[in-house]
Amino acid sequence: MIGFSVKQWAAWAPGLVDRDAWRAWASVPWVPSGTETPALQEVPAMQRRRIERLGRMAIQTACWCQEAEESGVPLVFASRHGDVARSMELLEALAADEPPSPTTFGLSVHNAIAALYSILRRDRGNYVAVAGGRATVETACIEAAALLADGAPEVLLVVYDAPLPAVYAGFADEPDAGFAWCWRVGLVGAEGDAIALGWNDEGGADDAPAALPHALDVLRFLLSGDPSLQWRGDGTAWHWRRNA
């Protein structure tokens, strides 16, 4: 079991752009949909043009959780699918015997959004990009807890995903949505919401798809004030508890 405190949070999805909207959503949640893109005014226009919608969502929430001149806070960027639309663009080019775009390739790799964020901020601190299937959020929290245990006073955790391209629709095992959220986490005992995350191998089938993407359900758990969240994914039973 691991524990940490969520000291600050931010989130963005179509139709949900401020804290009051997210708190109301946590009481009566729904799957966000739409094509809106965050303004990302913190990034100069010339640089902003290079960032696709998924990156804008992730970077926007990270900017909201960090001071403009702050540096050195370890970063954990987590996305189950990453920028799969760019990857699909590369595959379509190869299938058509066309040369893939080097720029598209460079921005399609899983750590590209984290790298863009660190470049924009001129921050040479530690960052890592993770993916862990249905348990991507839990994987990211374990990584953040390891960084805290290694001496980091705080970690910035950014979770984000976008709807899958239509060609992958048949493989979806949870509702599809575009969203991003960021937690600024510290050691248990720091200010904020104390959270404990435990897990065990109980075998059996995974939980049936819920009404929300799992990553959004974890955010709902934080914002709703619920005492716990139980979930089984990828053969592991996960247990979230508040006030560890």
Side-chain angles (χ1 to χ4, degrees), residues 30-33 80-81 134 161-164 169 171-179 207-217 231:
W30 42 274
V31 179
S33 64
R80 181 177 182 183
H81 303 296
R134 296 182 71 201
D161 256 311
L164 291 168
F171 299 96
D173 56 8
E174 62 180 2
D176 225 6
F179 64 88
D207 285 352
L212 294 170
H214 176 58
L216 277 183
D217 201 27
W231 179 75

Side-chain angles (χ1 to χ4, degrees), residues 59 75 77 111-127:
I59 291 172
L75 310 172
F77 277 64
N111 71 319
I113 292 173
L116 281 172
Y117 182 68
S118 66
I119 290 169
L120 290 169
R121 297 180 62 87
R122 299 180 181 180
D123 190 341
R124 298 185 181 182
N126 177 72
Y127 77 81

